[in-house]
Amino acid sequence: MRKVGLAGWIEKDKPVAGPFDAIVEPLALAPCTSDIHTVYEGAMGEKTDLILGHEAVGRVVEVGSEVKYIQPGDRVVVPAITPEWRSVEIQNGVPAQHSEGMLTGWKFSNIKDGVFAEFFHVNDADMNLAKMPDTITLEQAAMMPDMMTTGFHGAELADVQYGASVAVIGIGPVGLMAVAASALRGAGRIYAVGSRPRCVELAMEYGATDSINYRKGDIVEQIIAANKGEVDHVIVAGGNEDVMQQAVKMLKPGGTIGNINYFGTNEIIPIPRLAWGSGMAHKTIRGGLCPGGRGRMERMIALVVNGRVDPSKMVTHTFKGLEGVETGLELMRNKPAEVIKPVVLV
Ligand code: NAD
Ligand code: ZN
């Protein structure tokens, strides 16, 4: 990111590892919708000459003097969110929200250089890097740092219960993983709200029971009709502030909305008063940044190793070589209908 609105290449010094850190070279990288928000929409404010990228699988090339578990040569899954685990804020139980301010557990391509580089720096390596087993593919591993953990967090935030009804609004890669997570948590009925045929097909594969097309009429009406009433949980994974209103309207009193979507416009996100019981309907709205860290990545790995979910089904485009990041980023910017998620095999 040269500045807001301009992406390009830049030569920088190789990063240096502090005592708890590691230097990693990428094996696989995934350009993300969030990179587009950052560079083309200024989502994180003006940044100049910042290396983009926060989704990586890599090989460790160097570790600091206090790093014990991770060794040079290890293949690792690198979470997008890399908290400082030795900080007091962690003890509040929300590691993604950090000492340097809101959302600063997210360091790559936000408050320090990201992973789209020949080498990148990882803080607190032993607590943030998960060893990648040989039994999973780079494509599978590359979906873990953000897409899987975020989608799964949507289901956690919405507190999806077994047998319950869930609407997932937006079925890009994050929403698709929210569908898979809802199915794994035992949801009864899962409404996948989307329009692109490839995403709808995959949502059904990941466990959706119904597909709802937002281009074919009001989704609140469609879902309430199909469900014979409001749903227990809504996961918001796409769209603008209007979807939050729809989410409140389609939610049962006592239900929970889990938002993982990035809202990039308007200062205020409106909540419809009557649908919210004038504030008294016990409808809960929770929103969060994806959890990172080694333990979380090890759980994502366990899900894939044991065949619970195959996130590589979302990989629609593969590019070779670091230069492929540029093509991948352009693809995410233009997002033709057939794209779900690109991966760059470095
Ligand atoms: P994406 O753009 O691939 O997917 C979003 C989908 O929502 C698209 O398919 C789009 O067509 C669909 N959509 C748009 N308007 C809609 C509407 N009105 N109703 C239903 N669907 C609609 O993006 P993604 O990579 O899947 O990420 C989804 C969101 O999550 C983005 O806003 C992204 O910035 C955010 N995100 C958040 C975190 C986090 O930690 N919370 C992490 C990664 C991404
Ligand atoms: Zn991402």
Side-chain angles (χ1 to χ4, degrees):
M1 174 176 184
R2 305 308 306 268
K3 59 178 184 176
V4 171
L6 183 66
W9 293 98
I10 188 172
E11 196 64 41
K12 283 202 173 187
D13 290 339
K14 188 176 170 187
V16 176
F20 293 97
D21 309 337
I23 304 302
V24 177
E25 59 179 359
L27 296 172
L29 298 167
C32 175
T33 310
S34 305
D35 293 310
I36 302 303
H37 295 319
T38 302
V39 59
Y40 293 114
E41 295 160 25
M44 312 313 289
E46 181 60 282
K47 313 261 180 187
T48 50
D49 295 340
L50 176 79
I51 297 176
L52 290 170
H54 52 269
E55 300 183 18
V57 183
R59 186 185 291 116
V60 177
V61 293
E62 189 186 322
V63 297
S65 58
E66 299 303 316
V67 177
K68 307 275 186 271
Y69 170 72
I70 292 294
Q71 294 299 315
D74 285 347
R75 294 202 310 165
V76 288
V77 177
V78 186
I81 306 301
T82 54
E84 297 289 353
W85 294 99
R86 294 165 55 81
S87 71
V88 78
E89 286 77 16
I90 300 300
Q91 295 167 26
N92 291 333
V94 196
Q97 313 295 341
H98 221 280
S99 50
E100 288 147 285
M102 209 161 34
L103 311 182
T104 54
W106 177 21
K107 300 184 187 305
F108 293 127
S109 69
N110 182 17
I111 57 171
K112 73 170 189 184
D113 278 332
V115 299
F116 294 166
E118 289 165 291
F119 300 99
F120 58 88
H121 168 274
V122 180
N123 61 293
D124 211 345
D126 277 345
M127 291 299 110
N128 280 320
L129 295 175
K131 290 182 189 174
M132 178 188 153
D134 292 336
T135 49
I136 63 173
T137 65
L138 285 172
E139 286 85 348
Q140 288 174 322
M143 295 301 103
M144 296 173 185
D146 190 357
M147 300 299 95
M148 265 187 91
T149 182
T150 303
F152 277 65
H153 196 41
E156 289 166 330
L157 288 169
D159 195 22
V160 172
Q161 301 290 316
Y162 57 83
S165 49
V166 186
V168 179
I169 307 181
I171 46 171
V174 166
L176 286 169
M177 287 294 94
V179 168
S182 299
L184 283 166
R185 287 175 72 110
R189 200 141 179 202
I190 303 175
Y191 300 91
V193 181
S195 62
R196 295 187 286 153
R198 195 155 185 180
C199 295
V200 170
E201 210 174 283
L202 202 45
M204 302 305 278
E205 261 187 68
Y206 281 138
T209 53
D210 300 68
S211 73
I212 303 287
N213 190 334
Y214 63 96
R215 296 191 195 281
K216 290 194 180 154
D218 185 275
I219 63 168
V220 178
E221 284 171 16
Q222 291 186 66
I223 287 177
I224 288 178
N227 198 53
K228 299 191 172 57
E230 297 101 327
V231 292
D232 300 301
H233 312 276
V234 182
I235 301 173
V236 180
N240 59 22
E241 63 280 357
D242 294 340
V243 296
M244 192 49 91
Q245 305 200 46
Q246 293 170 325
V248 173
K249 287 180 186 166
M250 69 176 72
L251 186 72
K252 221 177 248 179
T256 305
I257 296 170
N259 178 73
I260 38 183
N261 190 38
Y262 158 77
F263 290 103
T265 50
N266 289 0
E267 283 308 297
I268 307 288
I269 297 169
I271 296 170
R273 182 175 65 85
L274 290 179
W276 204 35
S278 304
M280 298 180 287
H282 287 107
K283 294 189 182 185
T284 303
I285 302 173
R286 300 171 77 199
L289 186 65
C290 64
R294 170 177 145 200
R296 179 76 173 186
M297 289 304 109
E298 287 175 349
R299 286 186 183 222
M300 299 298 122
I301 291 169
L303 286 165
V304 175
V305 164
N306 295 299
R308 299 284 181 202
V309 61
D310 180 3
S312 67
K313 288 182 184 168
M314 302 190 296
V315 178
T316 50
H317 295 70
T318 310
F319 303 105
K320 298 249 163 79
L322 188 60
E323 322 75 68
V325 162
E326 192 170 357
T327 326
L329 205 61
E330 272 307 294
L331 192 68
M332 286 310 259
R333 186 184 188 185
N334 302 322
K335 209 160 282 162
E338 73 279 8
V339 177
I340 302 182
K341 190 78 183 175
V343 165
V344 180
L345 299 174
V346 182

